[in-house]
Coordinates of all heavy atoms in Angstrom, one line a residue:
M1407 N -36.5 10.7 11.6 CA -36.9 9.3 11.5 C -35.9 8.4 12.3 O -34.7 8.5 12.2 CB -37.0 8.9 10.1 CG -37.6 7.5 10.0 SD -38.2 7.3 8.3 CE -37.7 5.7 8.0
K1408 N -36.5 7.5 13.0 CA -35.6 6.6 13.9 C -34.9 5.6 13.0 O -35.5 5.1 12.0 CB -36.5 5.9 14.9 CG -37.1 6.8 16.0 CD -37.8 6.0 17.0 CE -38.4 7.0 18.1 NZ -39.2 6.2 19.0
P1409 N -33.6 5.3 13.3 CA -32.9 4.3 12.5 C -33.3 2.9 12.6 O -33.9 2.5 13.7 CB -31.4 4.5 13.0 CG -31.6 5.1 14.3 CD -32.8 5.9 14.4
T1410 N -33.0 2.1 11.7 CA -33.2 0.7 11.7 C -31.8 0.0 11.8 O -30.9 0.3 11.1 CB -33.9 0.2 10.4 OG1 -35.2 0.9 10.3 CG2 -34.1 -1.3 10.3
I1411 N -31.8 -1.0 12.7 CA -30.6 -1.8 12.8 C -30.8 -3.2 12.1 O -31.9 -3.8 12.3 CB -30.2 -2.0 14.3 CG1 -30.0 -0.6 15.0 CG2 -29.1 -3.0 14.5 CD1 -29.8 -0.7 16.5
T1412 N -29.8 -3.6 11.4 CA -29.9 -4.9 10.7 C -28.7 -5.8 11.3 O -27.6 -5.3 11.3 CB -29.8 -4.8 9.2 OG1 -30.9 -4.0 8.8 CG2 -29.9 -6.1 8.6
I1413 N -29.0 -6.9 11.7 CA -27.9 -7.9 12.1 C -27.9 -9.0 11.0 O -28.9 -9.8 10.9 CB -28.2 -8.5 13.5 CG1 -28.2 -7.3 14.5 CG2 -27.1 -9.5 13.9 CD1 -28.6 -7.8 15.9
E1414 N -26.9 -9.1 10.2 CA -26.7 -10.1 9.2 C -25.8 -11.1 9.7 O -24.8 -10.9 10.2 CB -26.1 -9.4 7.9 CG -25.9 -10.4 6.8 CD -25.2 -9.7 5.6 OE1 -24.8 -8.6 5.7 OE2 -25.2 -10.4 4.5
Y1415 N -26.3 -12.4 9.7 CA -25.7 -13.5 10.3 C -25.7 -14.7 9.3 O -26.5 -14.8 8.5 CB -26.3 -13.8 11.6 CG -27.7 -14.4 11.4 CD1 -27.9 -15.8 11.3 CD2 -28.8 -13.6 11.3 CE1 -29.2 -16.3 11.1 CE2 -30.1 -14.1 11.1 CZ -30.2 -15.5 11.0 OH -31.5 -16.0 10.7
C1416 N -24.7 -15.6 9.6 CA -24.6 -16.8 8.8 C -25.4 -17.9 9.5 O -25.1 -18.4 10.5 CB -23.1 -17.2 8.7 SG -22.9 -18.8 7.8
P1417 N -26.5 -18.3 8.8 CA -27.3 -19.4 9.4 C -26.6 -20.7 9.4 O -26.9 -21.5 10.3 CB -28.6 -19.4 8.5 CG -28.3 -18.7 7.3 CD -27.1 -17.8 7.6
K1418 N -25.7 -21.0 8.5 CA -25.0 -22.3 8.4 C -24.1 -22.4 9.5 O -23.7 -23.5 9.9 CB -24.3 -22.3 7.0 CG -25.3 -22.5 5.8 CD -24.5 -22.5 4.5 CE -25.6 -22.6 3.4 NZ -24.9 -22.3 2.1
C1419 N -23.6 -21.2 10.1 CA -22.6 -21.3 11.1 C -23.3 -21.4 12.5 O -22.7 -21.5 13.5 CB -21.8 -20.0 11.1 SG -20.7 -19.8 9.7
G1420 N -24.7 -21.3 12.5 CA -25.5 -21.4 13.7 C -25.5 -20.2 14.6 O -25.6 -20.2 15.8
W1421 N -25.4 -19.0 13.9 CA -25.3 -17.8 14.6 C -26.6 -17.0 14.8 O -26.7 -15.9 15.2 CB -24.3 -16.9 13.9 CG -22.9 -17.4 14.0 CD1 -22.4 -18.3 14.9 CD2 -21.8 -17.1 13.2 NE1 -21.1 -18.6 14.7 CE2 -20.7 -17.8 13.6 CE3 -21.6 -16.2 12.1 CZ2 -19.4 -17.7 13.0 CZ3 -20.5 -16.1 11.5 CH2 -19.3 -16.9 11.9
M1422 N -27.7 -17.7 14.5 CA -29.1 -17.0 14.6 C -29.4 -16.7 16.1 O -29.9 -15.6 16.4 CB -30.2 -17.9 14.1 CG -31.5 -17.2 14.2 SD -32.9 -18.1 13.5 CE -33.1 -19.4 14.8
L1423 N -29.1 -17.6 17.1 CA -29.4 -17.3 18.4 C -28.6 -16.2 18.9 O -29.0 -15.3 19.7 CB -29.1 -18.6 19.3 CG -30.2 -19.6 19.1 CD1 -29.8 -20.9 20.0 CD2 -31.6 -19.1 19.5
R1424 N -27.3 -16.1 18.5 CA -26.5 -15.0 18.9 C -27.0 -13.7 18.4 O -27.2 -12.6 19.1 CB -25.0 -15.2 18.4 CG -24.1 -14.1 18.7 CD -22.8 -14.2 18.0 NE -22.1 -15.5 18.2 CZ -21.2 -15.8 19.0 NH1 -20.8 -14.8 19.9 NH2 -20.6 -17.0 19.2
A1425 N -27.4 -13.7 17.1 CA -28.0 -12.5 16.5 C -29.4 -12.1 17.2 O -29.6 -10.9 17.5 CB -28.3 -12.7 15.0
A1426 N -30.2 -13.1 17.6 CA -31.4 -12.8 18.3 C -31.2 -12.3 19.7 O -31.9 -11.3 20.1 CB -32.3 -14.1 18.4
Y1427 N -30.1 -12.8 20.3 CA -29.8 -12.2 21.7 C -29.4 -10.8 21.6 O -29.8 -9.9 22.4 CB -28.7 -13.1 22.3 CG -28.0 -12.4 23.5 CD1 -28.7 -12.2 24.7 CD2 -26.7 -11.9 23.3 CE1 -28.1 -11.5 25.7 CE2 -26.1 -11.3 24.4 CZ -26.8 -11.1 25.6 OH -26.2 -10.5 26.6
M1428 N -28.5 -10.5 20.6 CA -28.1 -9.1 20.4 C -29.2 -8.2 20.0 O -29.3 -7.1 20.5 CB -26.9 -9.0 19.4 CG -25.7 -9.7 19.9 SD -24.3 -9.4 18.9 CE -23.0 -10.3 19.9
A1429 N -30.1 -8.7 19.2 CA -31.3 -7.9 18.9 C -32.1 -7.6 20.1 O -32.6 -6.4 20.2 CB -32.1 -8.6 17.8
Q1430 N -32.3 -8.6 20.9 CA -33.1 -8.3 22.1 C -32.5 -7.3 23.0 O -33.1 -6.4 23.6 CB -33.2 -9.7 22.9 CG -33.9 -9.5 24.3 CD -33.9 -10.9 25.0 OE1 -34.0 -11.9 24.4 NE2 -33.8 -10.8 26.3
E1431 N -31.1 -7.4 23.2 CA -30.4 -6.4 24.0 C -30.6 -5.0 23.4 O -30.8 -4.0 24.2 CB -29.0 -6.8 24.1 CG -28.7 -7.9 25.0 CD -28.8 -7.6 26.5 OE1 -28.4 -6.5 26.9 OE2 -29.4 -8.5 27.2
L1432 N -30.4 -4.9 22.1 CA -30.6 -3.5 21.5 C -32.0 -3.0 21.6 O -32.2 -1.8 21.9 CB -30.1 -3.6 20.0 CG -28.6 -4.0 19.8 CD1 -28.3 -4.1 18.3 CD2 -27.8 -2.8 20.4
L1433 N -32.9 -3.8 21.4 CA -34.3 -3.4 21.5 C -34.7 -2.9 22.9 O -35.4 -1.9 23.1 CB -35.3 -4.5 21.1 CG -35.4 -4.8 19.6 CD1 -36.1 -6.1 19.3 CD2 -36.1 -3.6 18.9
T1434 N -34.1 -3.6 23.9 CA -34.4 -3.2 25.3 C -33.6 -1.9 25.6 O -34.2 -1.0 26.2 CB -33.8 -4.3 26.2 OG1 -34.5 -5.6 25.9 CG2 -34.0 -4.0 27.7
T1435 N -32.4 -1.8 25.2 CA -31.6 -0.6 25.6 C -32.0 0.6 24.8 O -32.1 1.7 25.3 CB -30.1 -0.9 25.3 OG1 -29.7 -2.0 26.1 CG2 -29.3 0.3 25.7
F1436 N -32.4 0.4 23.5 CA -32.7 1.6 22.6 C -34.1 1.7 22.2 O -34.4 2.1 21.1 CB -31.7 1.5 21.4 CG -30.3 1.6 21.8 CD1 -29.5 0.5 21.8 CD2 -29.7 2.8 22.2 CE1 -28.1 0.5 22.2 CE2 -28.4 2.9 22.5 CZ -27.6 1.8 22.5
S1437 N -35.0 1.2 23.1 CA -36.5 1.2 22.6 C -37.0 2.5 22.2 O -37.9 2.6 21.4 CB -37.3 0.6 23.8 OG -37.2 1.4 25.0
D1438 N -36.6 3.6 22.8 CA -37.0 4.9 22.4 C -36.2 5.6 21.3 O -36.6 6.6 20.7 CB -36.9 5.9 23.6 CG -37.9 5.5 24.7 OD1 -38.8 4.9 24.4 OD2 -37.6 5.8 25.9
D1439 N -35.1 4.9 20.9 CA -34.2 5.6 19.9 C -34.1 4.9 18.5 O -33.6 5.5 17.6 CB -32.7 5.5 20.5 CG -32.7 6.2 21.8 OD1 -33.0 7.3 21.9 OD2 -32.1 5.5 22.8
I1440 N -34.7 3.7 18.4 CA -34.6 3.0 17.1 C -36.0 2.6 16.7 O -36.9 2.4 17.5 CB -33.7 1.8 17.2 CG1 -34.2 0.7 18.2 CG2 -32.3 2.2 17.5 CD1 -33.4 -0.5 18.2
K1441 N -36.1 2.4 15.3 CA -37.4 1.9 14.7 C -37.6 0.5 14.9 O -38.6 -0.1 15.3 CB -37.5 2.3 13.3 CG -38.7 2.0 12.6 CD -38.7 2.4 11.2 CE -40.0 2.0 10.5 NZ -40.0 2.4 9.0
S1442 N -36.5 -0.3 14.6 CA -36.6 -1.8 14.6 C -35.1 -2.4 14.6 O -34.2 -1.7 14.3 CB -37.3 -2.3 13.4 OG -36.7 -2.0 12.2
V1443 N -35.1 -3.7 14.9 CA -33.9 -4.5 14.6 C -34.4 -5.7 13.8 O -35.4 -6.4 14.0 CB -33.3 -5.0 15.9 CG1 -32.2 -5.9 15.7 CG2 -32.9 -3.9 16.9
T1444 N -33.7 -5.8 12.6 CA -34.0 -6.9 11.6 C -32.9 -7.9 11.7 O -31.7 -7.5 11.7 CB -34.1 -6.2 10.2 OG1 -35.1 -5.2 10.3 CG2 -34.4 -7.3 9.2
L1445 N -33.3 -9.2 11.7 CA -32.3 -10.3 11.6 C -32.3 -10.7 10.1 O -33.4 -11.0 9.5 CB -32.7 -11.5 12.4 CG -32.8 -11.2 13.9 CD1 -33.1 -12.4 14.7 CD2 -31.4 -10.6 14.5
L1446 N -31.1 -10.7 9.5 CA -31.0 -11.0 8.1 C -30.1 -12.2 7.9 O -28.9 -12.1 8.0 CB -30.5 -9.8 7.4 CG -30.2 -9.9 5.9 CD1 -31.4 -10.1 5.1 CD2 -29.4 -8.7 5.3
P1447 N -30.7 -13.4 7.5 CA -29.8 -14.5 7.2 C -28.9 -14.2 6.0 O -29.5 -13.8 4.9 CB -30.8 -15.7 6.9 CG -32.1 -15.2 7.3 CD -32.1 -13.7 7.3
S1448 N -27.7 -14.4 6.2 CA -26.7 -14.0 5.1 C -26.6 -15.2 4.0 O -26.6 -16.3 4.4 CB -25.3 -13.7 5.7 OG -24.4 -13.3 4.7
E1449 N -26.3 -14.7 2.9 CA -26.1 -15.7 1.8 C -24.5 -15.9 1.7 O -24.1 -16.8 1.0 CB -26.6 -15.3 0.4 CG -28.1 -15.2 0.5 CD -28.7 -14.7 -0.9 OE1 -28.0 -14.6 -1.9 OE2 -30.0 -14.5 -0.9
T1450 N -23.8 -15.2 2.4 CA -22.3 -15.3 2.5 C -21.9 -16.1 3.7 O -22.3 -15.7 4.8 CB -21.7 -13.9 2.5 OG1 -22.1 -13.1 1.4 CG2 -20.1 -14.0 2.5
G1451 N -21.2 -17.2 3.5 CA -20.8 -18.0 4.7 C -19.8 -17.2 5.6 O -19.0 -16.4 5.1
G1452 N -20.1 -17.4 6.9 CA -19.2 -16.7 7.9 C -19.5 -15.3 8.2 O -18.8 -14.7 8.9
R1453 N -20.6 -14.8 7.6 CA -20.8 -13.4 7.8 C -21.5 -13.1 9.0 O -22.5 -13.8 9.5 CB -21.7 -12.9 6.6 CG -22.0 -11.5 6.5 CD -21.1 -10.8 5.5 NE -21.5 -9.5 5.3 CZ -20.7 -8.4 5.5 NH1 -19.5 -8.7 6.0 NH2 -21.1 -7.2 5.3
Y1454 N -21.1 -12.0 9.7 CA -21.7 -11.5 10.9 C -21.4 -10.0 10.9 O -20.3 -9.6 11.3 CB -21.3 -12.2 12.2 CG -22.2 -11.9 13.3 CD1 -23.2 -12.8 13.6 CD2 -22.1 -10.7 14.1 CE1 -24.1 -12.6 14.7 CE2 -23.0 -10.5 15.2 CZ -24.0 -11.4 15.4 OH -24.9 -11.2 16.4
A1455 N -22.5 -9.2 10.5 CA -22.2 -7.8 10.4 C -23.5 -7.1 10.9 O -24.6 -7.6 10.9 CB -22.0 -7.4 8.9
I1456 N -23.3 -5.9 11.4 CA -24.3 -5.0 12.0 C -24.3 -3.7 11.3 O -23.3 -3.1 11.2 CB -24.1 -5.0 13.5 CG1 -24.2 -6.4 14.1 CG2 -25.2 -4.1 14.1 CD1 -23.7 -6.5 15.5
Y1457 N -25.5 -3.3 10.9 CA -25.7 -2.1 10.2 C -26.7 -1.2 10.9 O -27.7 -1.7 11.5 CB -26.3 -2.3 8.8 CG -25.6 -3.3 7.9 CD1 -25.7 -4.6 8.0 CD2 -24.7 -2.8 7.0 CE1 -25.0 -5.5 7.2 CE2 -23.9 -3.6 6.1 CZ -24.1 -5.0 6.3 OH -23.4 -5.8 5.5
I1458 N -26.5 0.1 10.8 CA -27.5 1.1 11.2 C -27.9 1.7 10.0 O -27.1 2.4 9.3 CB -26.9 2.1 12.3 CG1 -26.5 1.3 13.6 CG2 -28.1 3.1 12.6 CD1 -25.9 2.2 14.6
N1459 N -29.2 1.6 9.6 CA -29.6 2.0 8.2 C -28.8 1.2 7.3 O -28.8 0.0 7.3 CB -29.7 3.5 8.0 CG -30.7 4.1 9.0 OD1 -31.8 3.5 9.2 ND2 -30.5 5.3 9.4
D1460 N -28.1 1.9 6.4 CA -27.2 1.1 5.4 C -25.8 1.2 5.7 O -24.9 0.8 5.0 CB -27.5 1.6 4.0 CG -28.9 1.3 3.5 OD1 -29.4 0.2 3.9 OD2 -29.5 2.2 2.8
D1461 N -25.4 1.8 6.9 CA -24.0 2.0 7.3 C -23.6 0.8 8.2 O -24.2 0.6 9.2 CB -23.8 3.3 8.0 CG -24.2 4.5 7.1 OD1 -23.9 4.4 5.8 OD2 -24.8 5.5 7.5
I1462 N -22.4 0.2 7.8 CA -21.9 -0.9 8.6 C -21.3 -0.3 9.9 O -20.5 0.7 9.8 CB -21.0 -1.7 7.8 CG1 -20.7 -3.0 8.5 CG2 -19.7 -1.1 7.3 CD1 -20.2 -4.2 7.6
V1463 N -21.6 -0.9 11.0 CA -20.9 -0.4 12.3 C -20.1 -1.5 12.9 O -19.3 -1.2 13.7 CB -21.9 0.1 13.3 CG1 -22.6 1.4 12.8 CG2 -23.0 -0.9 13.7
F1464 N -20.3 -2.7 12.5 CA -19.5 -3.8 12.9 C -19.4 -5.0 11.9 O -20.4 -5.4 11.4 CB -20.0 -4.4 14.3 CG -19.1 -5.4 14.9 CD1 -18.1 -5.1 15.8 CD2 -19.2 -6.7 14.5 CE1 -17.2 -6.0 16.3 CE2 -18.3 -7.7 15.1 CZ -17.4 -7.3 15.9
D1465 N -18.2 -5.5 11.7 CA -18.0 -6.6 10.8 C -17.1 -7.6 11.4 O -15.9 -7.3 11.7 CB -17.5 -6.1 9.4 CG -17.5 -7.2 8.4 OD1 -17.4 -8.4 8.8 OD2 -17.4 -6.9 7.2
R1466 N -17.6 -8.8 11.7 CA -16.8 -9.8 12.3 C -15.5 -10.2 11.6 O -14.4 -10.4 12.1 CB -17.6 -11.1 12.5 CG -16.8 -12.2 13.3 CD -17.6 -13.5 13.2 NE -17.5 -14.1 11.9 CZ -16.4 -14.9 11.4 NH1 -15.4 -15.0 12.3 NH2 -16.5 -15.3 10.2
K1467 N -15.6 -10.2 10.2 CA -14.4 -10.5 9.4 C -13.3 -9.4 9.5 O -12.1 -9.7 9.5 CB -14.8 -10.7 7.9 CG -15.4 -12.1 7.8 CD -15.6 -12.5 6.4 CE -16.1 -13.9 6.3 NZ -16.4 -14.4 4.9
E1468 N -13.7 -8.2 9.7 CA -12.7 -7.1 9.8 C -12.1 -7.1 11.2 O -10.9 -6.8 11.3 CB -13.4 -5.7 9.6 CG -13.6 -5.4 8.2 CD -14.2 -4.0 7.9 OE1 -14.2 -3.2 8.9 OE2 -14.8 -3.8 6.8
T1469 N -12.9 -7.4 12.2 CA -12.3 -7.2 13.6 C -11.8 -8.6 14.1 O -11.0 -8.5 15.0 CB -13.5 -6.8 14.6 OG1 -14.5 -7.9 14.6 CG2 -14.1 -5.6 14.2
G1470 N -12.2 -9.7 13.5 CA -11.7 -11.0 13.9 C -12.4 -11.5 15.2 O -11.9 -12.5 15.7
H1471 N -13.5 -10.9 15.6 CA -14.2 -11.4 16.7 C -15.7 -11.0 16.6 O -16.0 -10.1 15.9 CB -13.6 -10.9 18.0 CG -13.7 -9.4 18.3 ND1 -12.9 -8.5 17.7 CD2 -14.6 -8.7 19.0 CE1 -13.2 -7.3 18.1 NE2 -14.3 -7.4 18.8
F1472 N -16.5 -11.5 17.5 CA -17.9 -11.1 17.6 C -17.8 -9.9 18.6 O -17.0 -9.9 19.5 CB -18.8 -12.1 18.2 CG -19.0 -13.3 17.3 CD1 -18.4 -14.4 17.3 CD2 -20.1 -13.1 16.3 CE1 -18.6 -15.4 16.4 CE2 -20.3 -14.1 15.4 CZ -19.6 -15.3 15.4
P1473 N -18.8 -9.0 18.5 CA -18.8 -7.9 19.5 C -19.3 -8.4 20.8 O -20.2 -9.2 20.9 CB -19.8 -6.9 18.8 CG -20.8 -7.8 18.1 CD -19.9 -8.9 17.5
E1474 N -18.7 -7.9 21.9 CA -19.3 -8.0 23.2 C -20.5 -7.1 23.2 O -20.5 -6.1 22.6 CB -18.2 -7.6 24.3 CG -17.0 -8.5 24.3 CD -17.3 -9.8 24.9 OE1 -18.2 -10.0 25.7 OE2 -16.6 -10.8 24.4
I1475 N -21.5 -7.4 24.1 CA -22.7 -6.7 24.2 C -22.4 -5.2 24.5 O -23.0 -4.3 23.9 CB -23.7 -7.3 25.1 CG1 -24.9 -8.1 24.4 CG2 -24.3 -6.4 26.1 CD1 -25.4 -7.6 23.1
K1476 N -21.5 -5.0 25.5 CA -21.1 -3.7 25.9 C -20.6 -2.8 24.7 O -21.0 -1.7 24.5 CB -20.0 -3.8 27.0 CG -19.4 -2.5 27.5 CD -18.4 -2.7 28.5 CE -17.7 -1.4 28.9 NZ -16.7 -1.6 30.0
E1477 N -19.7 -3.5 23.9 CA -19.0 -2.8 22.8 C -20.1 -2.5 21.7 O -20.2 -1.4 21.2 CB -18.0 -3.8 22.1 CG -17.4 -3.3 20.8 CD -16.5 -4.4 20.2 OE1 -16.5 -5.5 20.6 OE2 -15.9 -4.0 19.2
L1478 N -21.1 -3.4 21.5 CA -22.1 -3.2 20.5 C -23.1 -2.1 21.0 O -23.4 -1.2 20.1 CB -22.9 -4.5 20.3 CG -24.1 -4.4 19.3 CD1 -23.6 -3.9 17.9 CD2 -24.8 -5.7 19.2
K1479 N -23.4 -2.0 22.2 CA -24.3 -1.0 22.7 C -23.6 0.4 22.5 O -24.2 1.4 22.2 CB -24.7 -1.2 24.1 CG -25.7 -2.3 24.3 CD -26.1 -2.5 25.8 CE -27.1 -3.6 25.9 NZ -27.5 -3.7 27.4
Q1480 N -22.3 0.5 22.8 CA -21.5 1.7 22.7 C -21.5 2.2 21.2 O -21.7 3.3 20.9 CB -20.2 1.6 23.2 CG -20.1 1.5 24.7 CD -18.8 1.2 25.4 OE1 -17.9 0.7 24.6 NE2 -18.7 1.3 26.7
L1481 N -21.2 1.2 20.3 CA -21.2 1.6 18.9 C -22.6 2.1 18.4 O -22.6 3.0 17.6 CB -20.8 0.3 18.0 CG -19.4 -0.2 18.1 CD1 -19.3 -1.6 17.5 CD2 -18.4 0.8 17.5
V1482 N -23.7 1.4 18.8 CA -25.0 1.8 18.4 C -25.3 3.2 19.1 O -25.9 4.1 18.4 CB -26.1 0.8 18.8 CG1 -27.5 1.3 18.6 CG2 -25.8 -0.5 17.9
R1483 N -25.1 3.3 20.3 CA -25.4 4.6 21.0 C -24.7 5.8 20.4 O -25.3 6.9 20.2 CB -24.9 4.4 22.5 CG -25.2 5.7 23.4 CD -24.1 6.7 23.5 NE -22.8 6.2 23.6 CZ -22.2 6.0 24.8 NH1 -22.8 6.1 26.0 NH2 -20.9 5.5 24.8
D1484 N -23.4 5.6 20.0 CA -22.7 6.7 19.4 C -23.3 7.1 18.1 O -23.1 8.3 17.8 CB -21.2 6.3 19.1 CG -20.4 6.0 20.5 OD1 -20.9 6.4 21.5 OD2 -19.3 5.5 20.4
V1485 N -24.1 6.4 17.5 CA -24.7 6.8 16.2 C -26.2 7.3 16.5 O -26.6 8.3 16.0 CB -24.8 5.6 15.2 CG1 -25.6 6.0 14.0 CG2 -23.4 5.3 14.8
V1486 N -26.9 6.5 17.3 CA -28.4 6.8 17.4 C -28.8 7.8 18.4 O -29.7 8.5 18.4 CB -29.3 5.5 17.6 CG1 -29.1 4.5 16.4 CG2 -29.0 4.9 18.9
N1487 N -27.9 7.9 19.5 CA -28.1 8.9 20.6 C -26.9 9.1 21.4 O -26.8 8.5 22.5 CB -29.3 8.4 21.5 CG -29.7 9.4 22.5 OD1 -29.1 10.4 22.7 ND2 -30.8 9.0 23.3
P1488 N -25.9 9.9 20.9 CA -24.7 10.0 21.5 C -24.8 10.5 23.0 O -23.8 10.3 23.8 CB -23.9 11.0 20.7 CG -24.6 10.9 19.3 CD -26.0 10.6 19.6
A1489 N -25.8 11.2 23.4 CA -25.9 11.8 24.7 C -26.4 10.7 25.7 O -26.4 11.0 26.9 CB -26.8 13.0 24.7
K1490 N -26.9 9.6 25.2 CA -27.5 8.5 26.1 C -26.5 7.9 27.0 O -25.4 7.5 26.6 CB -28.2 7.4 25.2 CG -28.9 6.4 26.1 CD -29.6 5.4 25.1 CE -30.5 4.5 25.8 NZ -31.8 5.0 26.1
S1491 N -26.8 7.8 28.3 CA -26.0 7.1 29.2 C -26.3 5.6 29.1 O -27.5 5.2 29.1 CB -26.2 7.6 30.6 OG -25.6 6.7 31.6
L1492 N -25.3 4.8 29.1 CA -25.5 3.3 29.1 C -25.3 2.7 30.6 O -25.2 1.5 30.7 CB -24.6 2.7 28.1 CG -24.9 3.0 26.7 CD1 -23.8 2.4 25.7 CD2 -26.3 2.6 26.2
G1493 N -25.2 3.6 31.6 CA -25.0 3.0 32.9 C -23.8 2.2 33.0 O -22.7 2.7 32.6
H1494 N -23.9 1.0 33.5 CA -22.7 0.2 33.7 C -22.0 -0.2 32.5 O -20.8 -0.5 32.5 CB -23.1 -1.1 34.5 CG -23.9 -2.1 33.7 ND1 -25.4 -1.9 33.6 CD2 -23.6 -3.2 33.0 CE1 -25.8 -2.9 32.8 NE2 -24.8 -3.6 32.4
S1495 N -22.7 -0.1 31.3 CA -22.0 -0.5 30.0 C -21.1 0.7 29.6 O -20.3 0.5 28.6 CB -23.0 -0.7 28.9 OG -23.7 -2.0 29.2
D1496 N -21.2 1.8 30.2 CA -20.3 2.9 29.9 C -18.9 2.8 30.5 O -18.0 3.5 30.1 CB -20.9 4.3 30.1 CG -21.6 4.9 29.0 OD1 -21.3 4.5 27.8 OD2 -22.5 5.8 29.2
K1497 N -18.9 2.1 31.6 CA -17.6 2.1 32.4 C -16.6 1.3 31.6 O -16.9 0.3 31.1 CB -17.9 1.4 33.8 CG -18.8 2.3 34.6 CD -19.0 1.7 36.0 CE -19.7 2.7 36.9 NZ -21.1 3.1 36.4
K1498 N -15.4 1.8 31.6 CA -14.2 1.1 30.9 C -13.8 0.0 31.7 O -13.7 0.0 32.9 CB -13.1 2.2 30.7 CG -13.6 3.4 29.9 CD -13.4 3.2 28.4 CE -13.8 4.5 27.7 NZ -14.7 4.3 26.6

């Protein structure tokens, strides 16, 4: 079964557009590898976390920053399809 990605964001911080942009990028890149991307308004202020199924793969509070799209795609790829090439996003 294909995994589901959830982007939990703080609506009070105005992070919905960032979450929607990241969801669009993930849906475009992993259209054959994932079931869906869900945007989840958080009840916790300042929250921005990304899950694959129920496993957290990125937490803004732990890292101290938002993920760059390249970083996020690599994190997701490593879980959903480790053999997938990300083209220019794979270059260091």
Side-chain angles (χ1 to χ4, degrees):
M1407 188 161 136
K1408 294 180 180 179
T1410 297
I1411 297 172
T1412 302
I1413 302 174
E1414 182 181 7
Y1415 66 94
C1416 175
K1418 293 176 184 164
C1419 296
W1421 293 339
M1422 184 181 71
L1423 286 177
R1424 180 189 305 265
Y1427 164 70
M1428 290 187 179
Q1430 175 185 326
E1431 286 288 320
L1432 293 174
L1433 286 166
T1434 301
T1435 301
F1436 298 102
S1437 59
D1438 295 332
D1439 303 306
I1440 61 176
K1441 180 178 178 183
S1442 64
V1443 176
T1444 302
L1445 299 182
L1446 176 65
S1448 182
E1449 294 179 10
T1450 304
R1453 185 98 171 120
Y1454 196 92
I1456 299 167
Y1457 303 84
I1458 298 176
N1459 294 326
D1460 293 326
D1461 299 322
I1462 192 160
V1463 292
F1464 187 89
D1465 186 339
R1466 185 192 69 84
K1467 285 192 175 175
E1468 283 183 16
T1469 63
H1471 68 277
F1472 287 99
E1474 295 292 328
I1475 258 322
K1476 175 180 173 178
E1477 174 188 11
L1478 180 58
K1479 287 181 180 182
Q1480 289 170 347
L1481 289 169
V1482 170
R1483 182 270 317 269
D1484 291 348
V1485 174
V1486 303
N1487 186 353
K1490 184 180 188 77
S1491 169
L1492 295 176
H1494 68 277
S1495 289
D1496 263 339
K1497 295 185 174 56
K1498 302 267 186 234

